[in-house]
Every structure is written in C-alpha cells, then in structure tokens.
Amino acid sequence: MECRPGCGACCIAPSISSPVPGMPQGKSAGVRCVQLTGDHRCAVFGSPGRPRCCSGLQPSEEMCGADRDEALARLAWLERATRPG
C-alpha cells in the first residue's frame, strides 16, 4: 500500500519517544508533528534527521483503513492498546 496523499495520520495519532527535528523530546499521541506540512506531508521524509520509528513505519490497510478519519481512529486505538502500564 502507498501512503494516502493528504492523510498525515501517522504524524498525528502515535506518540514518538525519539527526538524529531524541532521536537527534541519527541511528541505525545494526538499531537501534530511540527514536520507535518499544511498538505499533510512529512517535511523531513528521506532526511537523515527523520526518526527511525517514522522511516520504519509502512502503510497498511490494517493501520490506514479506507480514509484519513479511519486511519486516525485506528492509529489512536493502536496507541492506546500498546501503551505501557
């Protein structure tokens, strides 16, 4: 599956514990990444500064669903389901 243009759900819903350019402490779940552009694309895509957890994330039907709203809901659910303790 290819990334859905204009989605950006994976840059909003999950938490990121590693540093992101412009977010040295990472980001909390549900917080928009500062690297997400106005058209919902990653400004550091392909950059060596992009976190490994981001570059390793691959779109899938299970994660992304049928549209952006479904992707946000599924990723939020996955975030809650995998939260430690």
Side-chain angles (χ1 to χ4, degrees):
M1 179 175 182
E2 296 289 320
C3 280
R4 186 177 293 116
C7 181
C10 60
C11 300
I12 299 169
S15 61
I16 299 175
S17 59
S18 57
V20 176
M23 298 180 100
Q25 304 303 315
K27 69 171 222 56
S28 299
V31 172
R32 183 184 176 94
C33 179
V34 299
Q35 297 301 329
L36 187 60
T37 65
D39 62 351
H40 296 102
R41 297 197 178 265
C42 177
V44 293
F45 187 86
S47 162
R50 186 175 182 216
R52 182 175 281 176
C53 64
C54 296
S55 59
L57 189 62
Q58 297 298 311
S60 69
E61 189 171 326
E62 178 183 53
M63 181 177 75
C64 302
D67 57 34
R68 182 175 192 267
D69 290 336
E70 195 170 334
L72 284 165
R74 288 181 179 204
L75 285 165
W77 179 86
L78 286 168
E79 178 70 26
R80 287 188 305 274
T82 59
R83 187 177 306 147

